[in-house]
Amino acid sequence: MTDQLTDHVRPHLEPGGERAGADHIVHAVLRALGDRLPAGEAAYLADGLPAALRPFVRHPGEPSTWDDGPRNREDPVARIALACETDEAQARRYARAVLAELTEAVSPGAVYEAQVQLPDDVRELFPDPVHAVGHEHD
């Protein structure tokens, strides 16, 4: 799945973007998502990912692994833009590409549980955002 995420992001890179760039984007999006989730939900979502990607989502409730400071519950799109040295419109495209592939690879229940914990602006980055809290679990 790691390669699938990278491959899904690659078409959204600027011309000349390399694999390391796509990997960096995947990691930045997963960190931003994990930073916005409660620790238990982040761990539940991370459990559906390959071991190499789990640390980017899961956290023990302590400071994050972001290079730019402690865990931040501020705007994740702005954090992705900062981490990827791009503007917020491009960061939003990166997030949507990663989350589209993530939604295909992780159980629907884990995706649902993650979405209901997120604010609307983050939830809207998913391909099929949950709009009502009363949805049934898979």
Side-chain angles (χ1 to χ4, degrees):
M1 178 188 170
T2 303
D3 288 338
Q4 289 171 310
L5 280 169
T6 301
D7 290 344
H8 202 75
V9 168
R10 192 170 286 118
H12 299 277
L13 289 172
E14 298 295 322
E18 299 176 6
R19 179 182 175 83
D23 287 340
H24 180 76
I25 290 164
V26 168
H27 299 165
V29 171
L30 294 177
R31 281 184 189 120
L33 180 63
D35 276 355
R36 291 308 302 264
L37 291 169
E41 295 305 330
Y44 182 47
L45 185 63
D47 285 344
L49 298 173
L53 294 177
R54 288 179 190 154
F56 295 103
V57 177
R58 181 182 289 146
H59 56 83
E62 297 298 320
S64 88
T65 56
W66 278 92
D67 294 336
D68 61 339
R71 182 164 305 285
N72 186 332
R73 297 200 178 271
E74 300 293 324
D75 180 8
V77 173
R79 297 286 305 270
I80 295 164
L82 179 65
C84 297
E85 299 179 356
T86 191
D87 62 35
E88 290 189 18
Q90 185 64 41
R92 192 169 280 103
R93 287 190 286 276
Y94 290 159
R96 286 189 173 126
V98 172
L99 294 176
E101 188 61 34
L102 183 80
T103 299
E104 293 295 318
V106 177
S107 78
V111 172
Y112 171 84
E113 290 296 331
Q115 284 193 45
V116 298
Q117 300 293 322
L118 295 167
D120 289 342
D121 63 329
V122 180
R123 192 178 309 143
E124 293 299 323
L125 297 171
F126 284 83
D128 293 311
V130 172
H131 291 288
V133 178
H135 288 262
E136 293 295 318
H137 289 276
D138 294 312

